[in-house]
Amino acid sequence: MQLDAKIPAGPLREKWDRHRFELKLVNPANKRRFRIAVVGTGLAGASAAASLAELGYDVDCFCIQDSPRRAHSIAAQGGINAAKNYQNDGDSIWRLFYDTIKGGDFRAREANVYRLAQISVDIIDHCVAQGVPFAREYGGLLDNRSFGGAQVSRTFYARGQTGQQLLLGAYSALMRMVDAGKVAMYPRHEMLDLVVIDGHARGLVTRNLVDGTIRSWAADAVVLCTGGYGNVFYLSTNAKASNVTAAYRCYKRGAGFGNPCFTQIHPTCIPQRGEYQSKLTLMSESLRNDGRVWVPRKPGMGEVDPASIPEADRYYYLEERYPSFGNLVPRDVASRAAKKVCDDGLGVGPEVLGQRNAVYLDFGDSIRRLGQDAIAQRYGNLFEMYERITAVSPYKAPMQIYPAVHYTMGGLWVDYNLMSTIPGLHVLGEANFSDHGANRLGASALMQGLADGYFVIPYTLGHFLASSHRGKIDTSHPEFARVEGECRDRTKRLLSLRGKRPVDDLHRELGHIMWDHCGMARNPEGLRKALGLIPELRERFWREAAVPGAGEELNPWLEHAGRVADFLEFGELMCRDALERDESCGGHFREDHQTKDGEAVRDDERFCHAAVWEYQGDDRPAVRHVEPLAFENVKLSTRSYK
Amino acid sequence: MRVQFRIWRQNGPGDANAGFKEYPLQADEHMSLLEALDLLNAELIRKGETPVAFEHDCREGICGACSLVVNGVPHGPRSATTTCQIHMREFREGETIVLEPWRARPFPVIKDLVVDRSAFDRIMSAGGYVSVRAGAAPDANAIPIGQPTAERAFDFAACIGCGACVAACPNASAMLFVGAKVAHLAILPQGKVERTRRVGRMVERMDTEGFGGCSNHGECEAVCPKSISLDAIALLNRELVRAAVVED
């Protein structure tokens, strides 16, 4: 596998400009001769499909939801970063670049991250022009807030619904191109496989989720924007349908998978209530600005009314362990600290599988200091949301929170042009591995999805088409029939599963294995254990699962079974990656690589690289390749929040 | 807690045998309603029966996928709340909970509780946008917008496109949905340029799709999970009148 990142030469600040000049262009009259398939309609997919169509390409766009507007980007709450420096507080493209590289624990490419910071300013301009109602000051100018521990206010936000408003902006751009006849939209279509001919991505196979039709689509390039794989843990803040299938199928067709073990755990989510729980809900990180995190000092106090626990018996563990950052330490640090106190038996909240996994986020002090009105003004809608789910008012009792899987930094490997190791297959947004390294900063996911879709792929895809394109092909090519046949066989095989166990049960089991051994803290022994348990579970899946219904109808259980079957293979790859990465970095915390205070220890000598996995067939282990990361502009330092 | 589900079952659009079926369930009061349905489906799968198809995705009230009529009310008993945010504690011990799909001719039933809402996308593609190419925008602060104006636009932009307004309306009118988008864009300077063309085309598309007109029942506002006000419809009508007399 060749891993040429194609990073342009020249000084960091000039790379993207130079590259844009050097990229080949497609003659305007020729653009309509190219047909591009865009898979997924979140921020990356909708913005890519819209801007490619604006340029004149013909676009086929697919999503699994009933409408492109429902992709999971819609659920992002906090905001979107941009180096506008509207606050005059010292922000710059360089600072956003540096914060993102450092936040990612020096495991991302300098050139990509710098470009992201450069483009960030254009995104805000474009979204405002679309009618996205960002928060404004009384003077009518855009408001910003500081977010996720950043020392400058560079986050643009739209109430607690930034993702929704940005996605509706991208969706409206997409619908405009549908109106113009340049995008053919196919909702309720799931990509089942990629068609590769002579080493190039030349199309895909989908299943129509309403009537079950499996069919092929030829394309001059495929743009994959199918999001992250957090649902491998079963419980996550992802939407229920979020899955790894499209990306994993591409991996099986030869696309390298980058850093699969890099997952982000968000510290402030509503804890699991019972075994029946179907998903976890995030509570915005901004709550940590005024809430104090604590647990009882003594074990066994999980059921005691927190109001009756005197101050001296409360363990404000973040404030004690990290006196300078306190409750505002980064996501990964806050998450691990919560896990530690709960594992030590100090957790509160409902007991699930023998442990109380929650800590208090207490607004009592802030309410006393600032008054209930001030707190309501800041967090009223979040408190309401919390009360709706838990039936407890955070004005009267502390919130209970616990970390949950939230985002996956790993994804298909791409070069600077966002192209995977399969020519013609481009990967955007959360589905690629590119910009966040080992840990993503708050408000950076929306930025990356839109940067890729609005402002990177329109340039780089044209270059690919102008320089490497291999002529027309249609679905009469025998390879389409062959791949379609494989998809039909697989669907048939899933439908023949007439065991006793609902797929949900088996998915939960996988989730337990992943959470216990490849979650917030990992160690070689646990990972090896998981590598034994997953194949055994996979074998049981194909024996015990029950998949009701038929193939030629709307069948959500068949869809879920296919996705879980892929998670059962992919989970193993994640564990292997976590085992081989013999260091701690960002969201990947290895218990065997920590200081005596429990802080992560990176190993830049051996692991300053991206790990890229190449599929070798079902009967042979995947091979690990390495893309070394060169840091020419920043100095590798140790993150410290003491 | 023990409840009795009474659920609409329908195998495809033209199913002559469609009708209600009853299912008892032992649930937990802290479960969400959809988790109770998950539990019921798991039981049905174990028994080799056909589980109930229903739509859902984010399960945190923002994607707009979930769409159940619960005891006669779209999105159920709690105001300003989507179906996925309803918990079993909202119901009484032993209660019969009736679950139906959105019922409106422009939303044909696909299966059980799942309907086809693609008409909404077609309405949106008839003008629910600002025509701006990527790359063409001026600086974001070039046009100041007063905070009250921005907030008012936001109130309408908050629509999640779930279709509860249509399901609740005796006329199956989509005017709250269309009005929300028309109002959001007509209020903002960026959207004003195309307001005439937009409102005409969106309303025409709405009529072609078979949605009815508004006769001021106000049911749409009452069930809207995002509390979008009837003002959207007033603004829609005003935009229509304006379009008839003003040339851009």
Side-chain angles (χ1 to χ4, degrees), chain A residues 32 60 78 242 244 253 278 298 393 437 506 555 565:
Chain A
R32 65 189 156 77
D60 288 324
S242 300
V244 78
R253 294 283 169 199
S278 62
K298 286 178 228 139
S393 164
L506 293 148
N555 188 338

Side-chain angles (χ1 to χ4, degrees), chain A residues 469-483:
Chain A
H469 190 251
R470 313 201 125 190
K472 282 284 150 192
I473 229 169
D474 62 35
T475 53
S476 64
H477 190 288
E479 186 61 11
F480 283 97
R482 202 183 67 78
V483 177

